[in-house]
């Protein structure tokens, strides 16, 4: 496989994830969604993917004061907007940084539906879609004004050994133990005797923990 075909495969995988993410957010009633909230969802879907044994789109992100930002996802989101698969609902000044513009997005359902049907024919993609649905439905339980803070309350992001402008690694080569995964797994220690938490329950419990953290 040459470099161009490899790049095409990666691009396709990310574009599929963009559509699945928006489909999940639509199902959860979380659209239109701001770019800040969207980046929070994308980060959580990456860092929590080991709970469901799903490969994250990215195993590392730069830690900045503004929070996590997936350039790969953002690039393919722009492509999906250009293809008419995702719609820009509105554009306004960013509430936290008025010198910047913030957009709100939603799935272009009629255009995206045929592609999502094809994607759903693959078992691995159905599993990814189920995972993203769990993320989306848990995410909407966080108060709207606090959703963009959820990612920065995450265990991997708040790891004190990773300072601002350093890379937060939670998967892939060279990554240390994923603190987020470890916390999600630790919930099992508090389960009733004889009960085993499912990945969906672990994910829900973890996002509830984030909700408590951002609610103060």
């Amino acid at each position: 496989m040459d470099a161009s075909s490899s790049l095409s495969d990666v691009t396709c995988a990310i574009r599929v994830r963009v559509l699945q993410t928006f489909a999940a957010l639509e199902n959860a009633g979380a659209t239109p969604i701001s770019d800040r909230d969207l980046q929070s969802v994308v980060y959580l879907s990456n860092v929590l993917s080991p709970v469901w044994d799903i490969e994250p789109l990215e195993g590392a992100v730069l830690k900045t004061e503004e929070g996590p930002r997936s350039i790969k996802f953002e690039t393919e989101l722009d492509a999906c907007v250009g293809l008419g698969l995702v719609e820009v609902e509105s554009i306004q000044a960013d509430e936290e940084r008025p010198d910047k513009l913030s957009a709100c997005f939603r799935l272009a359902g009629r255009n995206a539906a045929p592609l999502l049907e094809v994607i759903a024919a693959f078992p691995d993609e159905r599993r990814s879609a189920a995972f993203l649905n769990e993320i989306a439905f848990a995410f909407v339980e966080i108060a709207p004004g606090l959703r963009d803070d959820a990612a920065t309350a995450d265990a991997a992001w708040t790891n004190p050994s990773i300072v601002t402008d350093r890379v937060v690694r939670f998967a892939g080569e060279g990554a240390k133990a994923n603190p987020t995964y470890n916390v999600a797994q630790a919930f099992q220690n508090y389960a009733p005797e004889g009960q085993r938490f499912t990945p969906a329950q672990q994910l829900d419990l973890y996002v509830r923990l984030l909700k408590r953290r951002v609610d103060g």
Side-chain angles (χ1 to χ4, degrees), residues 1-166:
M1 183 179 294
D2 60 28
S4 60
S5 61
S6 296
L7 179 61
S8 177
D9 289 344
V10 172
T11 299
C12 180
I14 300 173
R15 202 164 294 181
V16 165
R17 185 63 65 88
V18 170
L19 293 178
Q20 289 179 316
T21 299
F22 271 96
L25 291 167
E26 290 278 341
N27 291 338
T31 56
I33 186 169
S34 70
D35 44 14
R36 280 183 176 273
D37 287 0
L38 181 59
Q39 286 289 349
S40 187
V41 171
V42 172
Y43 172 80
L44 292 176
S45 69
N46 277 327
V47 78
L48 283 165
S49 59
V51 175
W52 276 57
D53 196 25
I54 290 174
E55 188 71 21
L57 288 182
E58 296 172 288
V61 66
L62 182 66
K63 187 173 185 176
T64 68
E65 292 182 357
E66 294 184 5
R69 180 184 174 197
S70 171
I71 303 300
K72 291 180 180 179
F73 190 97
E74 198 172 76
T75 298
E76 294 313 313
L77 170 59
D78 289 345
C80 286
V81 170
L83 291 168
L85 302 172
V86 175
E87 298 174 348
V88 178
E89 181 84 2
S90 63
I91 299 176
Q92 60 278 320
D94 190 295
E95 292 182 358
E96 296 184 20
R97 298 192 62 179
D99 58 317
K100 289 191 173 185
L101 294 177
S102 175
C104 288
F105 303 91
R106 73 177 318 133
L107 189 71
R110 183 176 297 179
N111 295 339
L115 283 175
L116 287 166
E117 287 183 11
V118 172
I119 293 167
F122 297 90
D124 286 350
E125 297 303 340
R126 288 199 297 272
R127 181 170 172 78
S128 294
F131 164 68
L132 291 168
N133 268 294
E134 293 290 344
I135 289 279
F137 276 92
F139 188 74
V140 295
E141 294 301 315
I142 300 172
L146 299 174
R147 290 173 184 170
D148 63 330
D149 295 326
T152 56
D154 167 65
W157 186 268
T158 57
N159 183 348
S161 68
I162 308 297
V163 297
T164 301
D165 295 328
R166 299 295 296 274

